[in-house]
Amino acid sequence: MLAWFIKPPFNTTTAALGAVNRVRRLILPLAALLISFPVSADSHWGGYISLGTADARDNSFYDLDGSNPGLLTEVVLNGRHSLDDRLQLSGQLMYRNKGKTQEEEVRLDYAFLDYTLASSSNSEYHSFLGRFKNSIGLQGSTLDVPFSRTASILPQSIYDEISRDLYVAADGIALQSTHLFANGELEFMATLGRLDMGKQLTANLIGDYEDNLDSKDFYNLGVEYSFAGQWLVGFDHVYADIEHSASAASTYQSGNIELERNYLFLRYSAESWELNLEYLYQDATIDNLLPNNLVGLSEFITGNSFLPPAPPLPTRNDTTSDSYYVQLRYFLNEQLTLMLGYDVIYANRDDKNGREHQQQYEQLSQLSDFVAELPVIGQDFGVNPSPAYSQYQKTATLGLSWQPNQDWMLMFEYHRVKGSAVMPARINKQLETERHQHSSLLVFQASYRF
Amino acid sequence: MPQYRYCYLLIVWLSIALCFSSTSTADDVYRVIVPANLSPGEISKNRLRAIFSMRLQHWPDGQKIRVFVLPSRSELHTHFSRDVLGFFPYQLKRIWNKNTFTGIGSIPVEVIDESAMLSAVAKTPGAIGYLSFTPEQEGSDVSVVY
């Protein structure tokens, strides 16, 4: 599912990359500095604890197989200190345990200096230095916050768990500005830096913890316009260049991923209901990074001239994907909110129903079986069929949340899923033949903020 | 196509709902106050919206804006948000939550009632708040700017 794109308008220079590396070295000292400040009128401390359980049926979401409901835990502690009227220091620590799509970990979610460059009666300019959240759609910057997000598990077509490190936070520098107009506000944000990527991302995308993914270039541009308080429209663009170094035991070859994501979003807020719409167009260019078993099979066939010619293995794959969601929230009263959602992802917009993908893998699988059964020289490369439904995912969601006061929130959700495009690669390999076209997920989550 | 029937129904329902979702604008029962010694410049409804959603964090002279609000579920906060700012309280709360959990921007200070609001705004440099009545102007520590 990696992909979307247009050529980058510029390449970061060596000097810029050097600056980003220096910023990275600042992040931990910034966090330590923040902790050292006493609580005062110029500082704020807070956080939340969220405990939940997810019962997955017939799918591998969160790596739960349905036999045992899994526990989902998030604990967050954040702080902010104003050093003076123009300079502010912010940081947040996060503990997450959400099944095996994200290993249990304590992570420095963000730590940055916020300096106000200029302000007037109708505009304001800020610069950020350190690790900060990216500008991604309606909910990307707060996708872990139960009190901000519109669902316990956000639409995976846009905010997929498996590649969250590719869009959530960056280390570097950013500029943000706000401009007032007669009927609304315009916000702009530009980021240059590197992605904060953990080992889990490698496991989710490549299937191996020992491989290494290195963020080379990254930038993020975002603009949104809020009209009269009720309408919000926006566009975000993300470019990431990621280098993959295969380990000795890897099942993939080394390669490169160039990723472009374009988000379009709209929100309309009425007194008793709200509509959220988001669309994501992704272009991924993947160089090499081919599965070893396919390469081995291809080489074996090429090396034995009596066999029919092997299907060509392209060393560069350019894939575009489409995804969107529509979500309607209805406020039954001040405490109860009903949510209906529908989201879709097509991993390859040129093969939306996945038939070509299935046919290709059927042929490769038959070839692999044929080669395995050859007398004397036979080798088993273990190429398995891959179903058409692995190329799309459509999810209908029904949710109910109850917020008895501003500190507590309970969320209950039911997801009905068709297809399996947004499942971790590691899980794909282990459970490829066990996955189902139709599956469901039941989630209950209780959150408390302090 | 039967699957599109539901889309048409949704569009019709949304169109009807949009037509009936206008809000009242009885601004005249609210007073926005700042410390008497502050010169905030012209305060428009749009600027108030940006200040209370913490998108504008500084006065033109560079002083930090310190926003005071009443509890989210108080009647005055609900009406002020809706009638003056054009926001429903849940929208403001979401913006403040976003500021809190992304570290970008600030969050307002909540005071328990209008008396506490008056007192807090009067003694806090760069403060802004709101009341449902006009405070006495003569010798007052606050001035009404909207």
Side-chain angles (χ1 to χ4, degrees), chain B residues 30-60:
Chain B
Y30 312 103
R31 298 288 176 265
V32 176
I33 55 169
V34 298
N37 59 0
L38 185 79
S39 305
E42 188 192 347
I43 297 282
S44 63
K45 180 177 279 206
N46 207 35
R47 199 163 161 223
L48 277 180
R49 188 184 297 130
I51 288 172
F52 277 87
S53 62
M54 318 302 276
R55 288 185 177 118
L56 280 186
Q57 299 175 52
H58 295 83
W59 295 113

Side-chain angles (χ1 to χ4, degrees), chain A residues 294-367:
Chain A
L294 285 187
V295 175
L297 179 63
S298 179
E299 286 173 352
F300 180 90
I301 292 171
T302 308
N304 290 280
S305 54
F306 64 91
L307 292 170
L313 271 183
T315 53
R316 166 170 278 222
N317 273 302
D318 195 350
T319 313
T320 54
S321 60
D322 271 329
S323 45
Y324 65 86
Y325 77 86
V326 54
Q327 195 180 63
L328 191 63
R329 299 170 75 216
Y330 187 76
F331 311 118
L332 297 167
N333 56 41
E334 282 190 350
Q335 300 180 357
L336 284 171
T337 302
L338 186 66
M339 185 271 289
L340 287 169
Y342 182 66
D343 73 281
V344 175
I345 179 167
Y346 297 110
N348 181 355
R349 70 194 313 230
D350 297 326
D351 182 27
K352 287 186 172 177
N353 56 23
R355 278 186 200 137
E356 281 180 33
H357 171 86
Q358 181 169 315
Q359 279 172 2
Q360 282 172 358
Y361 270 82
E362 267 173 11
Q363 288 170 1
L364 288 166
S365 168
Q366 284 167 7
L367 205 52

Side-chain angles (χ1 to χ4, degrees), chain A residues 103-217:
Chain A
E103 282 288 285
E104 181 180 26
E105 64 174 357
V106 176
R107 195 161 178 161
L108 188 60
D109 204 28
Y110 60 77
F112 64 94
L113 278 169
D114 172 356
Y115 181 69
T116 307
L117 296 167
S119 57
S120 71
S121 59
N122 57 14
S123 65
E124 195 156 304
Y125 298 82
H126 289 255
S127 62
F128 307 135
L129 182 73
R131 174 175 298 168
F132 41 79
K133 296 287 186 143
N134 291 318
S135 171
I136 302 291
L138 285 171
Q139 313 200 51
S141 61
T142 53
L143 82 169
D144 294 311
V145 186
F147 299 92
S148 288
R149 63 190 176 204
T150 55
S152 183
I153 293 177
L154 288 173
Q156 293 297 296
S157 56
I158 306 280
Y159 303 107
D160 64 286
E161 280 286 331
I162 63 171
S163 73
R164 52 175 283 131
D165 286 1
L166 288 178
Y167 59 87
V168 170
D171 300 343
I173 52 176
L175 293 173
Q176 187 210 35
S177 64
T178 301
H179 309 269
L180 297 196
F181 294 93
N183 53 11
E185 298 101 52
L186 181 74
E187 277 205 356
F188 177 78
M189 185 164 169
T191 295
L192 180 66
R194 289 188 173 188
L195 287 162
D196 169 32
M197 302 192 302
K199 278 284 177 195
Q200 186 65 47
L201 179 70
T202 319
N204 287 347
L205 295 184
I206 311 295
D208 200 316
Y209 283 102
E210 298 308 315
D211 285 20
N212 186 51
L213 285 176
D214 186 24
S215 171
K216 308 301 281 183
D217 290 349

Side-chain angles (χ1 to χ4, degrees), chain A residues 42-61:
Chain A
D42 290 326
S43 65
H44 171 85
W45 290 94
Y48 64 84
I49 297 171
S50 185
L51 296 172
T53 178
D55 188 8
R57 296 291 162 98
D58 298 333
N59 75 26
S60 55
F61 196 77

